[in-house]
Amino acid sequence: MNEAAPRTNRKSPAGGETRLTMQDIARLANVSTPTVSRVLNDSPLVTGETRERVLEVARRHGYAVNRNAQKLRQARTNTIAVMLDFGSHRHGAIGDPFVFELLAGVSEALSIRNQELLLSPPGMEDARAFSDFFQARGADGFIVLGQGTRHAMLRAVSRTNVPLVVWGAVSPDAGYCAIGSDNVAGGRLAGEHFLSRGRQRWLFIGDTRHEELRLRYEGLCLAAKEQADVSIDLLAIASMAFTATAETVTDYLRDAPPPDAVFAFSDTAAMAAIGAFKARGLTAPREYSLVGYNNIPPAAHFSPALTTIEQKTDVAGALLVEKLMQLIDGGRSRSVMLPTRIVVRET
């Protein structure tokens, strides 16, 4: 297989241009073909003088490395598959900026390591699919952004020895490396915020089949544990999509007395809830207090500005990549739980 697609005047027997090979570069630079290969792969085994001579010849003749062919010769693909939780959103359309903040952090960390990012290969629905894709050298490992309801499947993937790191709930018995915030602490902070404002009828919006959301609900309940006058209602959302959340909250307010405190599973869900409450003539913080989650950039500029639980997403991408590379290198990676804090604004 030719190693390059050059721009050169070398003629084929038929009279057209042909491709320069590594053997040609070696002959022109007066070095061996393995030396050319080492230079093009940045090997430290080549002297600076030889490296410059080979690269100068390659540049002069328009030689370009065929990266696909190069990957086939290497032990690794230098490609990381990043999986998004499309299943938790209506019609697979993700509209939450938080997910893309995470993705941007992962992308930046991978680029620093000269790794390519392959976004959500299709058909990855069970452990066998992950294993087959890995064995076929589609990627060196996987970063999953959001457990969703796939916890059991991810545990099964971890048992196949496929390198895997997950953004989500951190659990000591998960079986795989996870990076995520202290969701219980986040829920407790929301509850303490409601207590400080004398709120008694609380509503949690979120699907507790998601481990992260279950832990946030657990933290909320812990904050109210010793408060006999506090009640907590749970509103399950079938989809994390904005419209689905708004519709579900609208239906809830039609059939139940309005709460005086709302804890939403995300900032976008909090915004959807505010719209549904406003349609019933209820505004925050006058009739109710509200806490979102994630502290996405629009949260501070929304009207009213959202009180929210902040996660340390500025370091999440780098941590996810670092942990995965440790696994790919044959090491072990421990899960990391990041701190949370409440950012109090208008709601």
Side-chain angles (χ1 to χ4, degrees), residues 130-187:
F130 276 78
S131 181
D132 288 349
F133 193 82
F134 176 71
Q135 294 297 331
R137 305 182 71 247
D140 295 326
F142 298 86
I143 294 175
V144 177
L145 300 183
Q147 289 157 321
T149 58
R150 302 176 293 177
H151 180 60
M153 185 270 284
L154 294 173
R155 289 190 62 151
V157 173
S158 70
R159 292 194 291 269
T160 66
N161 295 319
V162 171
L164 171 74
V165 176
V166 178
W167 169 266
V170 177
S171 173
D173 62 349
Y176 53 81
C177 178
I179 310 296
S181 71
D182 190 339
N183 290 284
V184 173

Side-chain angles (χ1 to χ4, degrees), residues 5-260:
R7 296 181 298 276
T8 177
N9 291 325
R10 182 180 174 210
K11 299 295 182 178
S12 69
E17 293 184 357
T18 188
R19 294 181 176 183
L20 209 65
T21 67
M22 277 205 299
Q23 289 79 8
D24 295 324
I25 295 296
R27 177 176 51 79
L28 292 168
N30 196 30
V31 297
S32 68
T33 300
T35 296
V36 174
S37 178
R38 293 188 188 102
V39 169
L40 298 178
N41 285 286
D42 296 322
S43 171
L45 301 177
V46 183
T47 66
E49 180 184 352
T50 299
R51 182 186 308 277
E52 285 305 312
R53 184 164 77 254
V54 170
L55 290 177
E56 194 280 329
V57 169
R59 284 192 293 266
R60 188 168 68 244
H61 291 273
Y63 185 93
V65 177
N66 184 328
R67 295 297 178 187
N68 289 330
Q70 186 183 56
K71 284 182 181 180
L72 291 174
R73 296 189 303 274
Q74 295 174 338
R76 294 182 182 174
T77 67
N78 292 329
T79 297
I80 303 301
V82 179
M83 318 296 296
L84 304 185
D85 182 20
F86 287 107
S88 295
H89 298 77
R90 180 173 289 180
H91 307 306
I94 297 177
D96 194 331
F98 175 72
V99 176
F100 297 104
E101 284 190 52
L102 278 179
L103 181 59
V106 168
S107 178
E108 181 179 8
L110 287 174
S111 68
I112 291 172
R113 292 176 177 264
N114 294 317
Q115 301 292 303
E116 296 182 16
L117 186 156
L118 176 63
L119 184 59
S120 290
M124 309 297 287
E125 298 177 354
D126 54 36
R128 177 64 180 272
F130 276 78
S131 181
D132 288 349
F133 193 82
F134 176 71
Q135 294 297 331
R137 305 182 71 247
D140 295 326
F142 298 86
I143 294 175
V144 177
L145 300 183
Q147 289 157 321
T149 58
R150 302 176 293 177
H151 180 60
M153 185 270 284
L154 294 173
R155 289 190 62 151
V157 173
S158 70
R159 292 194 291 269
T160 66
N161 295 319
V162 171
L164 171 74
V165 176
V166 178
W167 169 266
V170 177
S171 173
D173 62 349
Y176 53 81
C177 178
I179 310 296
S181 71
D182 190 339
N183 290 284
V184 173
R188 189 169 59 247
L189 288 169
E192 291 169 355
H193 177 73
F194 297 153
L195 291 174
S196 70
R197 281 151 178 74
R199 304 302 191 181
Q200 297 177 327
R201 301 183 312 280
W202 302 358
L203 174 67
F204 178 81
I205 301 174
D207 185 350
T208 54
R209 294 178 302 166
H210 294 231
E211 186 66 7
E212 288 179 277
L213 308 193
R214 184 191 69 78
L215 292 173
R216 293 172 196 176
Y217 178 65
E218 179 182 313
L220 186 70
C221 293
L222 287 174
K225 189 174 182 180
E226 305 300 328
Q227 308 295 324
D229 55 351
V230 171
S231 63
I232 304 178
D233 206 354
L234 173 62
L235 179 61
I237 304 293
S239 167
M240 288 186 168
F242 183 94
T243 302
T245 301
E247 291 172 349
T248 304
V249 175
T250 296
D251 292 342
Y252 173 84
L253 292 173
R254 186 183 302 116
D255 301 328
D260 62 10

